Amino acid sequence: MCINAFNTSRFLCYQVYLYGGQVTSWKNNSGEQQLFLSKKASFKPPKAIRGGIQICFPQLGNHGVVEQHGFARNRLWSVDESPPLPDTTSDCHIDLILKQSEEDMKTWPHSYELRLQVALSPRGDLILTSRIKNKNADGKPFQFTFAYHTYFSVSDISEVRVEGLDTLDYHDNLQSKIRCTEQGDAVVFESEVDRIYLSAPPKIVTIDHEKKRTFVLRKKELPDVVVWNPWDRKAKAMPDFGAEEYKCMLCVGAARIEKPITLRPGEEWQGRQEISPVPSSYSSGLLDPEMIQQMQRI
């Protein structure tokens, strides 16, 4: 089952599947798709949906004791009937909730509530807010990591650059997670990349020169950033991914990996990711996106 939401005043829309609590589509007011979804994606358990924005909890990758990227992206969520007050003025939002199942308890024996709000701001920004609460009745804390595994649709991966990560340390998952330091003024793509950038600034920019489109990603309580593209050889080995699709996608998502979160019973953690599409002339060190849009309206 999927849910479609529309901002009728600006003809913006997005789509969320209850399976995985996953955003699978986000279109601008021209109807242009801004997220990547593989043509080979599976929408049936136990496979996660390949593309969109995956919710990785209680871990990213194999940084933990449960399955790859955790179980949240492989479970059926519910519509949240009693959501907290929204953190946005948008009237275009969807609230979902996930609670532990018997299957989860076998590998991760904790009681939790994971709430997700997906919203469109009045200007068309896509905002995801997650709340995780420890509901253990036995007084035990639990620890977890988290990520919004965000698949952007791009024109040509070789023409894309990610700014805002220069001089940062990162874990290179292609080299046994060794710690490296970014040497370039931007991240560019000529081969497979699978990195976790540590303690990144709150604003990261992905520039797609050919589409003349830039994504500004803002994050809160999510200090790290995941950057991933499988390139040709790995793409061919993935059954739910087209052999040539690596050319038109890039994952850049906010995460909390290096320093896991610990919650005592009754405590709640909240994280947020906001994506703003802005003109391609924007870069991480220049004008704020809101200022650019104000200038365009003049």
Side-chain angles (χ1 to χ4, degrees):
M1 176 181 175
C2 67
I3 302 171
N4 295 290
F6 300 87
N7 181 328
T8 54
S9 64
R10 297 196 61 188
F11 306 103
L12 302 154
C13 66
Y14 63 87
Q15 182 181 75
V16 179
Y17 270 77
L18 291 183
Y19 178 57
Q22 190 160 336
V23 181
T24 54
S25 175
W26 172 37
K27 295 182 179 179
N28 61 19
N29 53 10
S30 300
E32 185 181 17
Q33 181 60 252
Q34 301 182 99
L35 297 178
F36 166 84
L37 184 69
S38 175
K39 294 179 180 179
K40 292 188 173 183
S42 172
F43 293 82
K44 297 180 180 179
K47 193 70 176 176
I49 302 171
R50 176 67 69 183
I53 303 177
Q54 297 178 352
I55 305 299
C56 299
F57 168 84
Q59 71 183 49
L60 175 73
N62 57 1
H63 296 260
V65 298
V66 300
E67 60 202 79
Q68 176 84 358
H69 292 325
F71 46 69
R73 66 182 192 145
N74 301 317
R75 299 292 184 266
L76 186 64
W77 295 52
S78 303
V79 175
D80 193 349
E81 301 294 347
S82 56
L85 292 174
D87 292 327
T88 174
T89 57
S90 170
D91 58 359
C92 182
H93 60 85
I94 294 171
D95 294 275
L96 304 181
I97 189 168
L98 180 69
K99 299 181 180 181
Q100 79 282 354
S101 66
E102 291 184 6
E103 185 178 356
D104 299 339
M105 294 291 283
K106 295 176 183 177
T107 55
W108 203 70
H110 300 291
S111 179
Y112 67 90
E113 284 181 351
L114 170 50
R115 284 185 156 91
L116 172 68
Q117 181 183 90
V118 183
L120 277 180
S121 76
R123 69 182 187 185
D125 302 338
L126 184 64
I127 305 167
L128 279 74
T129 305
S130 293
R131 291 175 169 87
I132 298 170
K133 189 171 186 178
N134 185 336
K135 301 284 287 187
N136 279 339
D138 57 8
K140 292 182 179 179
F142 63 64
Q143 190 176 81
F144 64 93
T145 57
F146 184 90
Y148 291 118
H149 203 31
T150 305
Y151 289 71
F152 287 115
S153 172
V154 301
S155 55
D156 182 347
I157 186 61
S158 63
E159 298 296 325
V160 174
R161 56 192 281 129
V162 180
E163 296 187 356
L165 302 173
D166 50 297
T167 73
L168 294 185
D169 286 355
Y170 63 87
H171 290 303
D172 191 338
N173 292 324
L174 301 180
Q175 301 185 63
S176 303
K177 302 176 185 176
I178 65 170
R179 193 176 183 114
C180 306
T181 301
E182 179 58 54
Q183 301 296 323
D185 59 354
V187 182
V188 295
F189 302 90
E190 300 175 340
S191 60
E192 181 181 357
V193 172
D194 188 355
R195 301 172 183 172
I196 300 171
Y197 285 85
L198 310 174
S199 300
K203 183 173 66 178
I204 302 299
V205 174
T206 300
I207 302 173
D208 186 341
H209 293 292
E210 189 168 325
K211 281 191 175 181
K212 298 181 179 179
R213 181 175 64 189
T214 294
F215 294 110
V216 178
L217 185 151
R218 287 181 169 85
K219 55 195 181 68
K220 185 177 181 181
E221 296 299 323
L222 294 162
D224 307 321
V225 172
V226 175
V227 179
W228 178 71
N229 183 286
W231 219 251
D232 54 350
R233 184 161 57 177
K234 183 167 286 186
K236 293 175 183 177
M238 298 161 63
D240 60 344
F241 195 94
E244 300 295 316
E245 287 185 325
Y246 74 94
K247 297 177 181 179
C248 59
M249 59 75 61
L250 174 64
C251 283
V252 180
R256 180 77 177 258
I257 307 299
E258 186 182 33
K259 297 178 181 179
I261 303 139
T262 299
L263 292 180
R264 294 189 294 270
E267 290 184 334
E268 182 180 83
W269 170 84
Q270 179 176 318
R272 176 184 172 105
Q273 173 178 282
E274 178 177 339
I275 308 169
S276 307
V278 300
S280 61
S281 58
Y282 176 79
S283 66
S284 60
L286 301 180
L287 293 175
D288 186 83
E290 189 169 350
M291 186 179 298
I292 290 178
Q293 292 189 358
Q294 289 175 353
M295 293 171 62
Q296 290 179 325
R297 289 194 290 266
I298 296 174

